[in-house]
Amino acid sequence: MSFRFIHSSDLHIGRKFANIPQDADGNIRGRLMEARHNAIEKLAAAARDNGAGHVLLAGDTFDTPTPSPSLVRQALAAMGDASDVTWWIIPGNHDNLRGAEPLWDMIASDGPANVRAVTEAAPIEVETNVYLLPCPVQYRASGTDPTEALVRMETPEGALRIGLAHGGITDFTESGEVIAVDRDRTARLDYLALGDWHGRIAVSPRVHYSGSPEQDRYKHGRRGLCLLVEAHAGAEPEVTEIETGHFLWQEVPMDLVSGQNPTEELERLLPASGRRNVLLRVRATGWAGLADHAELERAVIKAGPEFACFDLRAEALRARYDPTDLDEIDSSGGALRITAEALMTEAGDDTLSEDDRSIAAEALARLYSYVKEDAQ
Amino acid sequence: MKIRAIELHNVRRFTDPVRIDNFGDGLNVLCEANEFGKSTIFDSLHAVFFTKSGSTAKDIKALRPHSGGAVSIGVEVETSGEVFTIRKRWFSKAETKVFQGATLIAQADAAEDWISRLLGQDGTGPAGLVWVRQGLTDLGTGAKDSLEARRDLMSSVSEEVELMTGGRRMDAALKRCEEDLAVLATAGGKARAGGPWKAAEDRVAELSERRNALQTSADQLAEALRDRTAARKRLASLNDPDEAEARKVKLAGAKTAFKAATEFAADLEGLQRKADLAKLTHQQAAEKCERVKAAVAEHEDAKRLVLDAVDKASSAEAKFEDALEADDAAKSAVDIAAAATTKAATDLRRAERAASAKESAARREEIEARIKAAEDARIKVETTAAAITGPDAKALQNVEDLARNVANTIAIRDASAPNIVAHYDGGTAFNIDGQDIENGKLIPISRNTRITVPGIGSLDIRPPESGNADQVAKAEAALRVALEALGAETIEETRARAALRQNAEVAHREAKASFNALAPSGIDAIRAQLAKLPEPEEADGAPDLEAATQALEAAQTTEKELRAKAETTRHQLGEATNERGVAQANLNNANDRLARALAALPEGGADQDALQAEAEKARRTWLTLDEECTAKAANAPDLEMAKASYTRLQSADEMIAKDIAALEGQILVLNERIKHASGDAVEEELAETAQELEVAETKLRHIVREVAVLQRLKAALTGARTEARDRYFTPVAKELRPLLNLLWPEAELEWSEDNLLPTSLKRETVAEDLSILSGGTQEQIALLVRLAFARMLSNAGRSAPVILDDALVFTDDDRIERMFDALHRQASDIQIIVLTCRQRAFRNLGGQMVTQSPAQFIA
């Protein structure tokens, strides 16, 4: 016996992305929000295209416990539009049952027939002899393994057991809410569909995090995806990744060495195409001269607007000063030279605080920019 | 660089080509009348060096003659020992060319760059030449913008200024820094209103406030959800049918138990009342029996008490009578003794008065005797006083002195007089004035003397007159006067009378002493004492004082003893009286008690046995009923407990009904609240606001950082400029000092901190603002400053020609000579070109005269 379905989680519909910088005439936040809504359609398409009649969403479908009614209804309507797919949704920590009670009431009362809000930890026979064993998250923080109940859930002999839960497997906060990594064995599961982690992780052959279908952070370095799962009773499942993400969140390191052209190095790191749908963070490290700093800034100013979002983190890129830099500011030994040398000395003065040193370094870089711009 | 020649063609009045040359290394002078074209030459030089040939600027247009056409100017310059010719043409066929000899080495932009390099700068401003235009003396003290004025002053040396102080590039950088900073912050370092910093702060504050408000709403929603869950759970529990039925059964059971307990309690209470009544009957019978028994006993006791009291009262009465009699006797004895004491006291007072009268009579007698003696003494005092006559001691001494004086004068006289000595051999003696002369005695003869020899005759001796006869006569006369005054004839008489007086005085003093001893205060005082003495009293029959005293003491002792005895009898009488009173009261009380006891006896007698039997019967009835009560109470249900249980269950039932109603109401309210709050999507908005706040805080941190960077840069720039200016002005001031001292010894210029312009001239510790100095002084300072700059540039290997176009128009004859000296001083290693129309005033300038001649201008 086998059962084919789509495993996804952490849609976080309604996330506003207010922390993403947006120009006055830009709309990246709206685009990102829209992409999360569109993930519903992409999941439905993935199911439809692969002959799966069910989509299991392992929590955090909504970003907050109290999303606006229009947001919820539009999401439910999008799921309802995929009438050939049945959606099985459990509460996650963001939309946990207690905190999001009105939400789950609304889904239960007003949701389309093919959307099944699962709010009780009890086996559900989704198809003949195929049982969904859900672990809805009751509270934002419960202090217990949310999958403990799976062990006690009884199903008929020979039935296919599919767990659906939300939570971490690493106890970062020592909260005690860690899912036991051998839960598939202790609960006799054929597959455990997990949510909470936004990146894709295969914990074991039968235990998987699908990750978010649409990424929302630079951490994972790839577009969001869902899992096409072919589960078998008493055998390991077949799991296939299907890319669903529209935006690519990417963080690239750029370690500069003395003499390296920052503009060229930056251009080398940038994707050649599709930049409009890429959120790129360049984390610059190493050393660069004053001219290189100024040039890098100019390059970012030039290339940045091509991207959905471009974030240059240059705090760790240290300024390298040499006589050439100072000569470009003032080679005569006049007041500008005095200024530059004073700031350079201050920037390298170990007796000063790191903050004071870096302020002096930035002031020197700024002086360099002023002088160069003035010369142009 | 040095200028060697200038050629003009079609430049203002020079429509024909003209060449001005003969420029030397030092001071060069072109002294011509007005309208010659000196300013045209000056402007032409300026145009060649600083205005590109493509320019049609106002300054270039001003060079065209009225007839128009292209303006052509050429300048020959020598630099590094080589001579080059710069030719420029504006307007028609504009061009710039540079030749070395006849060889074209650069043209167009290349030629312009060549000129820039010649001037030693990158074309951003004039350098390598120091200009002073006609009448241009403004050092920035006028209406011009200070920066622009600085440009005027520094225009000729801007490259050097640029090198040292940063100049325009420094200005530009500082201005950019200040502008960028001003957008964000005020001069005081606060966020500027309306600026990005303030906006970021406001944004953070606004978002923080909104986030907090939303958090509160979210918390309230979460709380409402928790409350509703709890309420629903509670309501479900309360509405559970099994629990409701169980509560109902419990309540019915409690009610039945309470009813049964109530009825049993009523039965028990009736039985108890009967027992209580029997007990009361028994108690009353017993009490009656006891009362009768007690009354009989009391009657007997009372009778005994009365008899005893009668005996005691009789005894007390007898004792009282005896005591009364003894007391009366004692009182009588005391009275008699008291009368005897009184009489003895009277006798004693009479004896005392008699003794006193006797003493008074003796005293009177004594005083009267003193009065008599005093009278005698007073008479003696008066008698002895009357006896004091004759010369006193002083008068006697005076007579004695006079007598000694007479004797002395006689002795002196006789010493010088002849002496006679009689020697007798018996017989008759010689005499003088009838007085015999002693045998052998030396007799002086100081005057005519007759010595008689009885029987024989007389012998007159006539001694010569002596000088001392007058002193003797005077002394004797004085003696006689004194004796006469005393009423005496001789000194002996006087002595006798003086002795009598002395005796009389002694007697008088003794009489006075005697009187004073008797009556020191006078006789009247003694008489007064006498008057105070009592009159003598008749003392006949008075008893003897000592006997009377002894009689009184005996009488008093007797009285005292009798009084003590009387006190004893009085005390005994008091005690007897009290005893009699107590005995009488006891008797009365006993009679009263007997009367009461008699009254308490039941009428018709007291059958104590019958009463006892009745009481016993009642006791048995009571005990029987009491045992029944105890037995029934032992089996009684706990009424209070049954009641409490029933009441509790009843109350709980009512409370549950109320709880159900309240919970239903609460859930309705919470539903509305949750519906409302969830409809507002507070969590969603909270998440968005939190993210926006994070972005705003990041932005604010960046701005604060930006402000710190700009403030640091501004401080570094201004600090460095100050340092560079100090470094820069030191050589300028050094060059300027000797030039200033040519005009004003010990004078110095003070410079602005802001615009690097001279601000005041300090002479003899007094600093005067340049704006209040005369035009002549101002232009002299302007010129000297430029000369100092030129020397400084020359010292730096950048020889800079100084071109002056009628620069000294206000300077008087005296000063102008010293300015000439200054020019010559600097001209030792600087090329100076002076253009002037003041031929007479500049006659003594000296220097090399430049010449003008027609030229074959090569355009």
Side-chain angles (χ1 to χ4, degrees):
Chain A
M1 181 193 301
S2 63
F3 177 61
R4 177 174 290 194
F5 61 94
I6 294 293
H7 166 200
S8 185
S9 74
D10 296 281
L11 272 64
H12 284 274
I13 294 170
R15 175 161 288 188
K16 295 294 183 72
F17 295 99
N19 56 336
I20 300 299
Q22 176 172 282
D23 294 336
D25 58 348
N27 187 31
I28 180 58
R29 294 175 189 169
R31 291 180 63 211
L32 290 168
M33 286 185 70
E34 188 62 17
R36 307 198 78 73
H37 176 83
N38 291 340
I40 296 172
E41 191 177 329
K42 291 198 174 184
L43 292 174
R48 192 179 300 118
D49 294 347
N50 292 281
H54 301 266
V55 176
L56 277 56
L57 299 182
D60 284 357
T61 304
F62 294 95
D63 191 52
T64 64
T66 57
S68 64
S70 63
L71 192 91
V72 177
R73 290 184 185 283
Q74 286 173 15
L76 293 177
M79 293 178 189
D81 287 346
S83 57
D84 50 346
V85 173
T86 301
W87 303 80
W88 300 91
I89 314 174
I90 62 167
N93 59 321
H94 276 253
D95 49 5
N96 68 83
L97 195 53
R98 295 305 172 207
E101 206 172 313
L103 167 67
W104 297 104
D105 288 348
M106 181 189 289
I107 296 173
S109 60
D110 300 346
N114 62 329
V115 176
R116 305 288 295 276
V118 184
T119 55
E120 292 186 11
I124 301 171
E125 188 174 22
V126 296
E127 285 186 0
T128 304
N129 222 20
V130 175
Y131 283 84
L132 179 66
L133 311 180
C135 301
V137 175
Q138 298 287 326
Y139 302 97
R140 184 180 289 270
S142 66
T144 59
D145 179 352
T147 63
E148 276 181 353
L150 290 174
V151 179
R152 298 184 298 275
M153 290 186 192
E154 297 299 330
T155 54
E157 185 68 28
L160 192 64
R161 291 165 63 89
I162 300 170
L164 181 61
H166 185 91
I169 55 170
T170 303
D171 196 357
F172 294 111
T173 60
E174 300 181 353
S175 65
E177 314 178 49
V178 180
I179 295 173
V181 292
D182 62 346
R183 184 60 72 203
D184 57 322
R185 293 189 293 277
T186 57
R188 309 171 306 283
L189 300 176
D190 295 301
Y191 185 85
L192 176 54
L194 293 177
D196 192 27
W197 285 21
H198 291 203
R200 158 85 178 106
I201 297 176
V203 180
S204 68
R206 286 188 172 89
V207 181
H208 293 264
Y209 283 97
S210 65
S212 175
E214 188 66 49
Q215 284 299 331
D216 58 1
R217 58 196 67 177
Y218 292 103
K219 184 176 179 182
H220 306 296
R222 59 184 294 193
R223 282 187 165 82
L225 52 87
C226 67
L227 300 179
L228 172 65
V229 182
E230 182 85 25
H232 306 286
E236 291 186 355
E238 296 160 22
V239 179
T240 307
E241 297 177 354
I242 299 174
E243 186 173 276
T244 53
H246 180 71
F247 285 101
L248 173 64
W249 295 64
Q250 193 169 23
E251 179 173 305
V252 293
M254 183 173 71
D255 189 26
L256 295 173
V257 296
S258 184
Q260 195 170 13
N261 186 314
T263 306
E264 292 175 359
E265 179 62 15
L266 180 66
E267 190 57 37
R268 189 183 66 75
L269 292 171
L270 300 182
S273 61
R275 294 180 175 183
R276 186 171 183 274
N277 296 328
V278 175
L279 294 94
L280 187 66
R281 172 177 288 166
V282 177
R283 200 173 282 282
T285 57
W287 293 85
L290 291 179
D292 296 334
H293 271 272
E295 191 174 342
L296 181 59
E297 285 183 8
R298 283 195 292 275
V300 170
I301 290 171
K302 181 181 175 186
E306 296 177 8
F307 288 83
C309 179
F310 194 103
D311 182 16
L312 173 65
R313 297 290 175 91
E315 297 90 346
L317 180 60
R318 303 180 66 183
R320 175 181 50 76
Y321 311 104
D322 56 38
T324 307
D325 294 328
L326 301 190
D327 285 347
E328 288 192 51
I329 292 174
D330 183 357
S331 60
S332 67
L336 285 173
R337 180 66 175 223
I338 294 171
T339 306
E341 287 179 348
L343 292 173
M344 187 181 75
T345 302
E346 199 169 305
D349 187 349
D350 291 338
T351 62
L352 297 177
S353 68
E354 177 63 32
D355 200 40
D356 286 343
R357 288 204 302 272
S358 65
I359 285 174
E362 285 188 40
L364 180 56
R366 184 64 56 88
L367 175 62
Y368 184 87
S369 298
Y370 285 163
V371 172
K372 296 297 285 183
E373 288 170 17
D374 185 50
Q376 290 170 357
Chain B
M1 179 185 72
K2 289 186 170 59
I3 294 171
R4 294 308 182 195
I6 306 166
E7 291 183 351
L8 310 174
H9 182 204
N10 207 37
V11 184
R12 291 186 187 153
R13 65 180 293 273
F14 299 109
T15 51
D16 294 327
V18 64
R19 177 182 175 87
I20 299 100
D21 55 12
N22 198 35
F23 287 97
D25 285 347
L27 181 63
N28 298 274
V29 183
L30 178 57
C31 185
E32 296 292 348
N34 288 331
E35 306 297 326
F36 173 80
K38 298 182 296 301
S39 293
T40 300
I41 293 170
F42 186 94
D43 292 342
S44 296
L45 281 172
H46 195 274
V48 165
F49 286 116
F50 305 120
T51 307
K52 292 185 177 179
S53 55
S55 173
T56 56
K58 186 179 173 183
D59 291 349
I60 296 302
K61 285 179 179 175
L63 292 175
R64 295 178 86 177
H66 293 299
S67 57
V71 173
S72 296
I73 304 172
V75 178
E76 285 181 15
V77 297
E78 181 181 335
T79 179
S80 302
E82 295 181 299
V83 177
F84 299 87
T85 302
I86 303 167
R87 295 192 183 281
K88 274 195 176 181
R89 179 186 172 102
W90 287 268
F91 305 113
S92 175
K93 296 180 182 177
E95 64 176 17
T96 303
K97 292 180 178 177
V98 178
F99 297 89
Q100 185 172 20
T103 304
L104 176 65
I105 60 169
Q107 62 180 343
D109 288 345
E112 297 288 358
D113 288 345
W114 188 92
I115 295 170
S116 293
R117 288 195 299 277
L118 175 68
L119 296 177
Q121 43 82 43
D122 57 4
T124 56
L129 292 164
V130 180
W131 302 83
V132 181
R133 293 175 190 274
Q134 191 173 35
L136 177 60
T137 59
D138 191 349
L139 289 168
T141 56
K144 282 187 176 182
D145 174 75
S146 62
L147 185 61
E148 189 58 32
R150 184 166 76 88
R151 292 279 170 261
D152 288 342
L153 174 60
M154 301 299 174
S155 61
S156 306
V157 292
S158 61
E159 179 67 13
E160 189 64 20
V161 173
E162 182 88 8
L163 286 172
M164 300 306 297
T165 68
R168 195 201 59 74
R169 296 172 72 220
M170 165 63 89
D171 289 343
L174 186 56
K175 185 180 177 186
R176 278 287 305 277
C177 180
E178 288 175 337
E179 285 175 350
D180 288 352
L181 187 57
V183 170
L184 300 170
T186 64
K190 305 287 185 186
R192 178 175 295 286
W197 189 7
K198 186 70 169 67
E201 286 183 339
D202 293 345
R203 178 71 176 155
V204 167
E206 176 198 343
L207 288 171
S208 296
E209 187 178 353
R210 193 197 306 170
R211 191 266 317 272
N212 293 340
L214 287 167
Q215 185 64 58
T216 303
S217 298
D219 292 344
Q220 288 171 344
L221 174 60
E223 185 181 2
L225 285 167
R226 285 196 300 274
D227 291 348
R228 188 175 70 174
T229 299
R232 280 176 172 171
K233 188 175 178 182
R234 171 91 176 130
L235 184 60
S237 172
L238 294 175
N239 282 330
D240 185 80
D242 293 340
E243 289 189 13
E245 183 59 26
R247 287 198 300 272
K248 187 177 176 183
V249 169
K250 274 187 179 177
L251 180 62
K255 185 177 180 182
T256 302
F258 177 56
K259 185 180 176 186
T262 304
E263 289 171 355
F264 190 93
D267 291 346
L268 181 60
E269 189 180 352
L271 186 59
Q272 186 65 51
R273 275 200 298 274
K274 285 181 183 176
D276 291 343
L277 185 60
K279 182 181 180 182
L280 183 63
T281 304
H282 156 65
Q283 287 173 341
Q284 288 174 343
E287 285 171 3
K288 185 177 179 182
C289 187
E290 287 301 318
R291 277 201 305 277
V292 170
K293 186 178 178 181
V296 171
E298 172 65 12
H299 183 245
E300 291 301 322
D301 286 347
K303 282 195 295 187
R304 282 196 301 275
L305 280 175
V306 168
L307 292 175
D308 185 50
V310 168
D311 287 344
K312 286 182 177 173
S314 299
S315 173
E317 185 63 25
K319 188 176 180 182
F320 172 73
E321 291 298 334
D322 292 344
L324 184 62
E325 186 178 353
D327 187 50
D328 288 343
K331 280 180 180 174
S332 299
V334 167
D335 291 343
I336 293 166
T341 301
T342 302
K343 183 178 179 300
T346 304
D347 291 346
L348 178 59
R349 279 195 297 277
R350 283 180 59 206
E352 285 172 345
R353 279 198 301 274
S356 176
K358 186 176 179 183
E359 185 179 349
S360 178
R363 175 68 177 156
R364 177 178 295 274
E365 192 174 338
E366 180 198 353
I367 290 174
E368 286 173 347
R370 272 181 64 198
I371 290 172
K372 185 175 182 301
E375 282 294 342
D376 294 344
R378 184 178 59 80
I379 293 168
K380 189 172 184 183
V381 168
E382 291 172 359
T383 306
T384 54
I388 299 173
T389 57
D392 57 10
K394 186 177 178 182
L396 176 62
Q397 185 63 42
N398 185 38
V399 173
E400 290 286 359
D401 291 343
L402 291 172
R404 271 193 303 276
N405 191 36
V406 171
N408 287 341
T409 52
I410 291 172
I412 293 170
R413 184 196 64 189
D414 290 348
S416 59
N419 297 315
I420 61 170
V421 180
H423 300 281
Y424 299 110
D425 51 7
T428 305
F430 310 111
N431 71 72
I432 299 174
D433 296 333
Q435 190 170 358
D436 291 343
I437 300 172
E438 290 182 28
N439 182 39
K441 183 179 178 181
L442 186 63
I443 302 296
I445 304 298
S446 58
R447 53 187 173 89
N448 293 335
T449 305
R450 179 171 283 171
I451 302 172
T452 305
V453 186
I456 303 174
S458 66
L459 181 67
D460 288 339
I461 304 173
R462 301 184 188 276
E465 285 292 328
S466 172
N468 291 325
D470 290 340
Q471 278 91 6
V472 173
K474 285 180 183 176
E476 288 173 345
L479 181 59
R480 279 193 304 274
V481 168
L483 291 172
E484 286 172 3
L486 294 173
E489 292 183 357
T490 64
I491 185 77
E492 288 77 14
E493 182 185 354
T494 301
R495 285 175 183 151
R497 287 178 61 194
L500 289 175
R501 176 185 180 101
Q502 193 172 3
N503 292 334
E505 283 176 350
V506 170
H508 179 66
R509 278 196 300 272
E510 288 174 352
K512 274 181 76 177
S514 176
F515 176 78
N516 287 339
L518 291 169
S521 301
I523 295 173
D524 291 342
I526 301 173
R527 288 197 177 107
Q529 288 179 358
L530 181 64
K532 286 179 182 176
L533 290 176
E535 289 300 320
E537 191 176 319
E538 185 60 46
D540 293 341
D544 177 66
L545 180 58
E546 187 177 355
T549 300
Q550 290 174 350
L552 178 58
E553 286 174 356
Q556 285 174 333
T557 300
T558 302
E559 182 184 353
K560 187 176 177 183
E561 289 171 356
L562 289 174
R563 283 192 184 281
K565 189 176 179 183
E567 180 62 22
T568 301
T569 57
R570 190 186 65 75
H571 180 70
Q572 289 171 344
L573 176 61
E575 285 181 345
T577 304
N578 287 340
E579 286 177 8
R580 186 182 67 164
V582 169
Q584 189 61 47
N586 288 338
L587 178 59
N588 293 340
N589 290 340
N591 286 330
D592 290 345
R593 182 174 171 181
L594 179 60
R596 286 196 300 274
L598 196 59
L601 289 174
E603 293 180 3
D607 187 351
Q608 293 187 52
D609 294 338
L611 289 172
Q612 186 66 38
E614 186 180 345
E616 180 58 25
K617 180 182 177 185
R619 190 180 73 85
R620 284 197 297 273
T621 302
W622 163 52
L623 289 174
T624 303
L625 287 170
D626 190 54
E627 284 174 4
E628 285 181 27
C629 266
T630 303
K632 190 172 182 69
N635 297 320
D638 188 341
L639 176 59
E640 289 303 318
M641 185 60 78
K643 182 181 179 182
S645 177
Y646 175 56
T647 305
R648 177 180 61 77
L649 289 170
Q650 205 174 24
S651 170
D653 203 45
E654 292 169 359
M655 192 65 75
I656 286 167
K658 285 181 183 174
D659 278 355
I660 289 170
L663 286 168
E664 287 172 346
Q666 183 186 0
I667 288 168
L668 285 175
V669 171
L670 290 169
N671 281 343
E672 282 304 308
R673 191 182 302 168
I674 291 165
K675 184 180 175 186
H676 178 70
S678 60
D680 289 344
V682 288
E683 292 274 5
E684 193 175 306
E685 198 175 346
L686 175 61
E688 180 185 5
T689 304
Q691 288 181 338
E692 286 180 354
L693 177 59
E694 184 183 333
V695 172
E697 287 174 338
T698 302
K699 184 175 180 181
L700 178 58
R701 280 197 300 275
H702 287 161
I703 290 175
V704 170
R705 174 83 171 183
E706 172 78 357
V707 169
V709 167
L710 291 172
Q711 287 174 332
R712 179 67 197 96
L713 178 56
K714 182 183 173 185
L717 286 169
T718 52
R721 189 170 66 174
T722 302
E723 182 183 340
R725 184 169 55 231
D726 293 343
R727 198 187 293 174
Y728 164 69
F729 274 111
T730 301
V732 173
K734 183 180 176 183
E735 286 298 328
L736 186 58
R737 189 173 297 115
L739 298 176
L740 284 173
N741 292 345
L742 284 173
L743 272 69
W744 306 287
E746 304 299 325
E748 287 184 17
L749 276 181
E750 293 181 342
W751 302 81
S752 164
E753 289 288 321
D754 298 327
N755 56 22
L756 308 182
L757 287 170
T759 56
S760 58
L761 178 65
K762 187 176 180 183
R763 290 178 287 189
E764 295 179 352
T765 72
V766 177
E768 296 171 283
D769 196 280
L770 291 188
S771 63
I772 65 170
L773 297 176
S774 68
T777 302
Q778 288 194 33
E779 71 177 7
Q780 290 146 22
I781 291 171
L783 179 54
L784 294 179
V785 168
R786 284 161 175 78
L787 291 175
F789 276 130
R791 170 61 68 83
M792 187 192 71
L793 292 175
S794 176
N795 291 345
R798 297 167 52 77
S799 182
V802 178
I803 302 170
L804 309 174
D805 180 17
D806 263 350
L808 298 170
V809 294
F810 301 114
T811 303
D812 59 32
D813 292 341
D814 178 47
R815 291 264 181 90
I816 206 164
E817 290 278 345
R818 280 180 273 173
M819 290 302 291
F820 290 163
D821 291 341
L823 289 170
H824 274 279
R825 184 181 188 278
Q826 301 302 92
S828 62
D829 54 0
I830 300 172
Q831 185 186 36
I832 301 174
I833 300 171
V834 177
L835 309 177
T836 180
C837 62
R838 301 176 65 191
Q839 294 165 321
R840 189 169 58 190
F842 278 65
R843 189 178 300 154
N844 296 328
L845 174 59
Q848 182 167 325
M849 300 299 291
V850 298
T851 58
Q852 176 197 346
S853 60
Q856 188 64 40
F857 197 88
I858 301 171

